[in-house]
Amino acid sequence: MKSMLSTCIFGLVSLILLLVLTYILGITLSKKITKPIVTLTDSVKKITHGNLEFNCDIKTGDEIEDLSDAFGNMTEELKEYIDKVKAESKAKEHHKAELEIAKKIQMSILPNNAKDFDINTEFEIATSIIPAKGVGGDFYDYFMVDDEHLAITIADVSGKGVPAALFMMISKTLISNKTKPNMSPGEILTEVNRLLCINNDAAMFVTAFLGILNIKTGEFRYSNAGHTPPFVYRYKEGFDNLSVTKNLFLAGDEDTLYKTDSIMLDKGDMIFLYTDGVTEASTKEKKQYGKKRLYNLLNSFAAEHMTLEEIIANITEDIYEFVYGADQADDITMLITRFFN
């Protein structure tokens, strides 16, 4: 009986010791496992708060160490990606600023005083330009050469951005400065072309149309330098293509001689100038507006009963309806003048 009791006591003490050892071992193992996890969790929390310096040196030789290494590699890749995005954003901001400067250059040199000509009873004029996001090189101009002659011009410079805007400014200035009484449009463009070819290392060029209207007689003399031919409107008869001599664009060959054409305008006749941004306006499927649609639209209304602003507004509205929200790739520029005398 006594021997049995001793055996039971020994067994109970052994069981208690085993439980104590198991508990101690459990705590030790638990700390060994959970401490790296806690360390890793704390480091991940720092990442979520924007601290990408992942300093978590875990050497457990198991999956926890692999996970720690994976997070370390991830943060390095994330830092590289953020640096790349920052650099791209900076470049985009620089490009955006350049485009804004180009637009300001473009718009600042265009005349906007068409209403000042309302005092004239011989003619009227209206213009419109809708710049594209990429900034083309379109420009128009109109001014009195002398008391009897009105000069009108429209042009499109190759290229985009600030270089195109600067070349546009040079081209416009040269055309206006070289337009003198007793000089034909062809002679003017010949001289402008020669000057533009000098030091044209960037190989830029300009398509242009220059016309000079005698506001007393209705004689309209003009020269076309590779530009989209205008339309001429005959009173109550409608719009038709203006016949032009094909000349090379400006700044292409300094020896080019530009020809001058001439027609007579009667009371109520009009000249409509535009750039290819009108006819090449495209839908999302890349279908272009086209010259035929423009021609049909111009002849779909009684232009003799419309103001010039109404004519331009109708064209603009039809272009917007056609492209139906597609991005505008090029400037949309128009100039129209009506002879009254």
Side-chain angles (χ1 to χ4, degrees), residues 234-288:
R234 296 299 187 179
Y235 185 67
K236 291 188 177 181
E237 293 181 10
F239 287 88
D240 204 353
N241 296 305
L242 180 65
S243 178
V244 299
T245 298
K246 294 182 179 180
N247 296 309
L248 185 67
F249 50 76
L250 301 176
D253 179 2
E254 62 179 325
D255 295 324
T256 301
L257 299 177
Y258 292 83
K259 305 294 184 180
T260 297
D261 299 312
S262 178
I263 62 170
M264 292 298 297
L265 298 182
D266 295 321
K267 183 176 181 179
D269 289 353
M270 292 182 274
I271 299 293
F272 174 63
L273 315 179
Y274 63 98
T275 60
D276 57 11
V278 174
T279 51
E280 293 180 6
S282 302
T283 64
K284 293 178 180 179
E285 294 74 29
K286 306 304 179 183
K287 182 180 179 182
Q288 293 189 344

Side-chain angles (χ1 to χ4, degrees), residues 271-321:
I271 299 293
F272 174 63
L273 315 179
Y274 63 98
T275 60
D276 57 11
V278 174
T279 51
E280 293 180 6
S282 302
T283 64
K284 293 178 180 179
E285 294 74 29
K286 306 304 179 183
K287 182 180 179 182
Q288 293 189 344
Y289 186 79
K291 189 170 183 178
K292 183 177 181 181
R293 182 177 177 118
L294 177 61
Y295 172 84
N296 291 335
L297 176 68
L298 287 170
N299 286 296
S300 68
F301 41 67
E304 64 271 14
H305 299 305
M306 300 172 66
T307 67
L308 301 186
E309 289 78 12
E310 287 173 337
I311 294 173
I312 287 179
N314 271 270
I315 298 169
T316 303
E317 182 180 358
D318 194 58
I319 292 172
Y320 282 152
E321 288 181 0

Side-chain angles (χ1 to χ4, degrees), residues 117 119-123 143-151 180-182 212-217 339 341:
F117 287 103
I119 59 174
N120 290 279
T121 58
E122 296 93 348
F123 69 94
F143 52 91
M144 296 300 299
V145 182
D146 55 28
D147 291 340
E148 294 187 358
H149 294 89
L150 167 71
K180 306 292 184 182
N182 302 320
I212 299 177
L213 172 66
N214 186 317
I215 63 175
K216 301 298 183 183
T217 67
F339 178 62
N341 207 1

